[in-house]
Amino acid sequence: MFYLLAEMFEFEGIFNLFRYQTFRAGAAILTALFIGLLIGPRLISLLRVRQGKGQPIREDGPQTHLAKVGTPTMGGLMILIALVISLLLWMDLSSPFVWACLAVTIGFGAIGFMDDYDKVTKNSHKGVSGKVRLLMEFVVAGIAAYIIVSQINTWLYVPFVSNQAIPLGPFYYVFAAIVIVGAGNAVNLTDGLDGLAIMPVIIAAGTFALIAYLAGRADFSEYLGIPYVEGAGELAIFCACIMGAGLAFLWFNAPPANVFMGDTGSLALGGALGAIAVASHHEIVLAIVGGLFVFEALSVIIQVFWFKRTGKRIFRMAPVHHHFEQLGWSETKVVIRFWIIAIVLAIIGLSTLKLR
């Protein structure tokens, strides 16, 4: 909104700062952080009253998790409210990328909300049918993919190699939807311990804020040998909104958590990262930066596949963060070590910008 006002009335002096993406990104972080901290306590109290017993805890999970009984879920609502308000204030609302990524964020958040609501009302960890949920996710992702691809080409760019890309043609629409849905569910599977998912999301968002900004600059993209995507710089502000809202949520989600993110938040944030990666033409880099999410998702896929074939388990429990808990690691140790892994992966992902 502020950007459009600056352009419309040709602001000068200090108000000219509204035109700069870097300024608006910083302002977006602080705005989302402030809103999240402001509404957090009241929203958590409301969720606690409405939900009563809070998020259902799996009885077959680690026994230490039974102490979490009564903790409310759907904390992702706080993230979404802070993110959306900050986004509407600081982003260029004429950008199709903004609306495509926002559609994924709100759409996936709504799907996650339905799942969380089903779990809470039934007092069961089983929510909406997996097939139904996936169908809805692909519908939302398909619409967003169509909007995004209408602004970019259908090439898959390969990191670490300059000017190398794979032409996917019409299949790119399917590929883009798979990336978005895959990212959403990978973050969702990671969200199993206090603070585990949100900090890697913040780290990934910060990484993609830089990537999107550079991809949106013709001079920097040419120098680095990365694809130039006109208008992608605005996505740096979207990433900043995620960071600010995520930090506010972490304030309340730090162990022991006052509230859980729930599918409302994890699906929305993962889907947003997937959409941003597609729009900035760095889909493969997302798999590197978000390698922790990929590892968590693969641990579930491998566990289910192997158990169906042999009746045996590779991991003591999946997703893999529970495996380490079963090995005797404390929850805090698992979370902090996974954060370290996320930071290392982000550094590797950023190295793809120059190592070509």
Side-chain angles (χ1 to χ4, degrees):
M1 183 180 72
F2 288 129
Y3 173 80
L4 293 179
L5 289 175
E7 289 293 307
M8 186 182 303
F9 296 104
E10 298 182 351
F11 289 162
E12 295 181 357
I14 190 171
F15 294 106
N16 190 48
L17 288 171
F18 292 154
R19 290 190 172 95
Y20 292 96
Q21 292 172 342
T22 49
F23 172 80
R24 287 185 285 124
I29 292 178
L30 295 178
T31 302
L33 175 61
F34 174 76
I35 293 172
L37 293 176
L38 182 67
I39 67 174
R42 181 168 296 183
L43 180 61
I44 293 171
S45 297
L46 177 63
L47 291 173
R48 184 175 287 113
V49 170
R50 291 298 181 93
Q51 294 177 14
K53 296 181 179 180
Q55 176 171 299
I57 305 298
R58 289 176 55 179
E59 295 181 357
D60 59 342
Q63 294 302 302
T64 54
H65 288 205
L66 297 178
K68 301 174 185 284
V69 172
T71 305
T73 186
M74 298 185 188
L77 289 172
M78 178 175 67
I79 298 174
L80 291 176
I81 293 170
L83 186 157
V84 171
I85 293 176
S86 180
L87 181 153
L88 294 176
L89 287 174
W90 296 108
M91 291 196 72
D92 175 7
L93 301 180
S94 66
S95 169
F97 291 139
V98 173
W99 295 106
C101 293
L102 184 59
V104 171
T105 305
I106 295 177
F108 276 36
I111 295 169
F113 179 85
M114 287 188 286
D115 198 48
D116 286 334
Y117 183 81
D118 208 35
K119 292 174 183 176
V120 170
T121 53
K122 294 179 179 178
N123 194 27
S124 169
H125 61 83
K126 295 181 180 180
V128 177
S129 164
K131 292 181 180 179
V132 172
R133 198 172 83 165
L134 273 177
L135 177 62
M136 291 190 291
E137 290 171 10
F138 269 107
V139 169
V140 174
I143 295 172
Y146 178 80
I147 297 172
I148 292 171
V149 178
S150 67
Q151 304 297 312
I152 60 177
N153 59 45
T154 56
W155 292 67
L156 174 62
Y157 290 88
V158 181
F160 297 112
V161 182
S162 295
N163 302 317
Q164 292 295 320
I166 303 170
L168 296 182
F171 180 71
Y172 187 83
Y173 291 90
V174 178
F175 172 75
I178 291 173
V179 169
I180 295 170
V181 172
N185 284 281
V187 173
N188 180 234
L189 290 170
T190 306
D191 183 33
L193 302 177
D194 298 347
L196 177 59
I198 191 61
M199 192 60 192
V201 165
I202 294 170
I203 293 168
T207 304
F208 267 90
L210 178 58
I211 291 173
Y213 177 73
L214 295 174
R217 290 283 299 268
D219 49 355
F220 287 141
S221 59
E222 182 179 1
Y223 170 72
L224 294 169
I226 62 176
Y228 168 61
V229 181
E230 185 177 358
E234 282 299 312
L235 296 175
I237 302 162
F238 201 111
C239 290
C241 294
I242 293 175
M243 293 170 67
L247 287 171
F249 176 76
L250 182 59
W251 183 269
F252 302 104
N253 188 239
N258 300 115
V259 65
F260 296 140
M261 186 190 305
D263 293 1
T264 307
S266 58
L267 273 179
L269 293 175
L273 289 176
I276 291 168
V278 170
S280 60
H281 260 324
H282 279 75
E283 304 90 346
I284 296 177
V285 175
L286 176 62
I288 299 172
V289 174
L292 178 64
F293 306 132
V294 176
F295 182 40
E296 292 272 14
L298 285 177
S299 71
V300 174
I301 294 170
I302 293 170
Q303 184 88 320
V304 172
F305 173 78
W306 194 251
F307 184 77
K308 286 184 176 180
R309 285 184 64 88
T310 67
K312 298 180 181 179
R313 292 179 172 85
I314 294 178
F315 303 101
R316 292 194 177 186
M317 189 175 180
V320 73
H321 54 261
H322 291 318
H323 170 78
F324 290 106
E325 281 191 292
Q326 299 288 16
L327 290 178
W329 291 19
S330 67
E331 179 173 340
T332 304
K333 181 173 288 188
V334 174
V335 170
I336 293 176
R337 286 181 174 176
F338 276 38
W339 286 0
I340 294 171
I341 293 172
I343 293 171
V344 172
L345 290 170
I347 294 172
I348 296 172
L350 285 175
S351 72
T352 66
L353 295 174
K354 191 56 183 171
L355 295 179
R356 291 174 183 268

